[in-house]
Amino acid sequence: MKKTFLLCLFIICANFHSYADNPIAPSESNHQQACDTGSVRLLADFEASRMDECKNLGDNRFHIIIKPENTPINPSPWYAFKVIADQATDVNVTIKIADKRKNRYLPKISQDMQTWSPQAHRVRGKRLTFTIKATEQPQYVAAQEVINNQYYVDWANKLQAVSQVSHSRLGESAQKRPIYKIESKANTNEWLVILGRLHPPEITGALALFPFVETLLAKNKLADHFRQKFNILIIPNLNPDGVAMGNWRHNAHGADLNRDWVSFKQPETIQVHQYLQGLVAQGQKIKFAIDFHSTNQDVFYTMPTNYDVEDRYFVKHWLNSLDQAMPNFNVIQKPGNRPNNGVSKQYFADNYQIHAITYEMGDETKRDNIIAIANNAAITLMQTMMSDANHNKE
Ligand SMILES: [Zn+2]
């Protein structure tokens, strides 16, 4: 009886491993450290894991150090590891960010890497300390929900099964991981472009992109009509190397992909640029673009209404209608113009003379709210893009 039980547990665990492990390419970074006392193990051996150093302090106490992939870097320390014990026991963990950098993300815990809950913790200066009830079944601890490269493929396959979209390869990353695109084709030449995951730890941006896209692809009168009028190009995961390695921000070359849209030195941004240029060369027209990110609050970075783009008040009209649709959500619009900064929003404005936004969700925004905001944002966007209102006037 006991043997069967153990075997089942083993099979379940093995399944978790095969789901999480990266089947494409090994990480080239050195952050896959481990602590092993013989009876307790802390491991960073799955895709998107990160634990740069692990020290065993004795008595089931462990000290983890997290380091950036390279510097200078905008600090968003990412950590993800699992804890396993042969027999149920309390394990005390302290996470320290290298170079006295500030912690950004509050720890979350999961048994299956799908359902996550906040991990009770103490903040001591710049250190995070908590106690985990470790068992034979791995307990996953991470800075945010782990959304790995396979998750995007599974999601796109589900979309393909229920809607008229194609899922195909756009190109590949610096380390030759596939970069995928999802496309919905209309009978017109106008395109909405959606980008995601330029910055790997910005999970709340990913958690917004999924329902936003699903609302655009839903089967109802509004969305059906929208998809007849507008083509949709979705590149949900533009930095698969950074995702696989658990990077704080950069791609495998140590570059910030949301600062590369002027110089185009990185394969990921170059391939998007070439694909869009190819569309335009075929007579297609890029109409609007959204790039999903996360920061410390919910905010929409826009181009100013006095900037030289078509339909100058279009984004303002859209976000005002989102504000009206959600009385309990305060829509913050922050217009900005940063030429030569290499941000995707500015690239769309300067190359296609159109509006674009950076859609930022707060790191700790309630996950239900992220979904509600995304659903309403997608509905009001479709309404605004299809309305006859004059968007050149306030
Ligand atoms: Zn970002």
Side-chain angles (χ1 to χ4, degrees):
M1 184 69 184
K2 199 182 171 196
K3 231 176 188 175
T4 317
F5 176 65
L6 280 176
L7 183 65
C8 289
L9 258 186
F10 174 74
I11 290 167
I12 292 166
C13 295
N15 282 342
F16 282 146
H17 293 181
S18 65
Y19 173 76
D21 286 348
N22 168 23
I24 299 152
S27 168
E28 287 174 15
S29 66
N30 61 356
H31 61 259
Q32 298 192 338
Q33 300 297 307
C35 273
D36 188 349
T37 68
S39 56
V40 174
R41 288 173 296 287
L42 277 68
L43 304 168
D45 60 352
F46 53 96
E47 190 188 54
S49 63
R50 190 177 199 98
M51 179 166 73
D52 295 281
E53 282 180 29
C54 183
K55 288 178 190 158
N56 176 8
L57 305 181
D59 298 328
N60 283 348
R61 291 183 306 125
F62 299 90
H63 198 142
I64 289 173
I65 298 176
I66 306 296
K67 298 175 182 175
E69 54 270 24
N70 62 311
T71 54
I73 194 164
N74 180 324
S76 306
W78 174 262
Y79 50 89
F81 53 90
K82 67 188 181 199
V83 183
I84 305 168
D86 290 343
Q87 292 185 329
T89 186
D90 281 354
V91 170
N92 183 267
V93 178
T94 296
I95 296 178
K96 190 181 160 216
I97 314 298
D99 306 329
K100 297 182 180 163
R101 287 163 191 274
K102 251 179 92 175
N103 182 56
R104 172 170 170 178
Y105 299 111
L106 307 179
K108 281 107 193 149
I109 189 160
S110 172
Q111 282 77 50
D112 58 6
M113 290 237 283
Q114 313 219 1
T115 307
W116 295 83
S117 37
Q119 168 64 46
H121 64 277
R122 275 185 302 162
V123 181
R124 279 186 183 165
K126 306 215 167 183
R127 297 174 182 206
L128 285 175
T129 301
F130 46 88
T131 301
I132 295 165
K133 302 260 177 223
T135 62
E136 280 179 311
Q137 184 188 351
Q139 307 288 316
Y140 293 91
V141 178
Q144 293 283 37
E145 296 88 332
V146 173
I147 296 177
N148 62 18
N149 292 321
Q150 186 60 42
Y151 189 100
Y152 286 93
V153 174
D154 294 342
W155 175 69
N157 286 337
K158 278 183 223 154
L159 289 181
Q160 212 175 8
V162 297
S163 60
Q164 299 288 320
V165 295
S166 64
H167 179 224
S168 59
R169 215 175 154 118
L170 173 85
E172 59 184 30
S173 63
Q175 289 185 341
K176 313 284 181 209
R177 288 185 179 84
I179 294 169
Y180 292 103
K181 63 177 163 52
I182 301 166
E183 284 175 312
S184 168
K185 293 282 179 69
N187 300 319
T188 69
N189 69 341
E190 298 193 326
W191 288 76
L192 166 63
V193 178
I194 293 172
L195 303 176
R197 210 71 188 274
L198 278 66
H199 294 148
E202 296 182 3
I203 294 296
T204 53
L207 295 176
L209 181 145
F210 298 130
F212 189 95
V213 168
E214 287 162 15
T215 301
L216 297 179
L217 299 181
K219 283 189 170 62
N220 57 52
K221 209 173 159 186
L222 174 69
D224 289 346
H225 192 200
F226 181 79
R227 291 193 306 276
Q228 286 165 13
K229 290 195 77 170
F230 295 98
N231 301 276
I232 310 169
L233 166 66
I234 304 139
I235 304 165
N237 182 19
L238 190 55
N239 190 357
D241 294 343
V243 168
M245 293 188 288
N247 278 359
W248 290 18
R249 189 168 178 92
H250 296 157
N251 72 348
H253 291 157
D256 184 336
L257 294 185
N258 206 24
R259 297 292 182 273
D260 196 52
W261 296 85
V262 171
S263 56
F264 287 106
K265 290 183 177 154
Q266 301 308 319
E268 294 87 357
T269 44
I270 288 171
Q271 288 165 92
V272 177
H273 177 51
Q274 286 175 344
Y275 188 72
L276 296 175
Q277 293 289 302
L279 288 176
V280 171
Q282 293 163 31
Q284 304 294 300
K285 177 164 177 21
I286 314 300
K287 203 60 187 159
F288 184 51
I290 306 176
D291 187 0
F292 284 84
H293 288 256
S294 307
T295 186
N296 59 353
Q297 62 169 348
D298 305 326
V299 57
F300 300 91
Y301 291 113
T302 65
M303 293 305 295
T305 50
N306 64 0
Y307 203 68
D308 186 19
V309 293
E310 68 176 27
D311 296 333
R312 290 195 293 128
Y313 290 94
F314 158 68
V315 164
K316 205 171 177 186
H317 288 171
W318 166 38
L319 293 177
N320 287 349
S321 66
L322 173 61
D323 199 44
Q324 282 172 12
M326 301 190 75
N328 296 324
F329 174 57
N330 179 30
V331 174
I332 300 171
Q333 306 182 37
K334 280 200 179 163
N337 168 28
R338 301 165 84 189
N340 303 318
N341 193 252
V343 172
S344 70
K345 165 182 83 112
Q346 185 93 29
Y347 159 79
F348 285 100
D350 290 341
N351 282 267
Y352 306 100
Q353 288 71 51
I354 57 163
H355 268 293
I357 69 158
T358 314
Y359 182 126
E360 302 261 12
M361 280 291 102
D363 292 331
E364 300 301 332
T365 298
K366 287 202 171 66
R367 283 17 183 181
D368 287 350
N369 287 355
I370 291 175
I371 294 170
I373 295 162
N375 290 340
N376 282 285
I379 289 169
T380 49
L381 176 69
M382 291 190 282
Q383 290 166 339
T384 310
M385 285 183 79
M386 291 197 294
S387 92
D388 294 327
N390 183 349
H391 297 306
N392 278 309
K393 284 190 179 155
E394 186 147 29

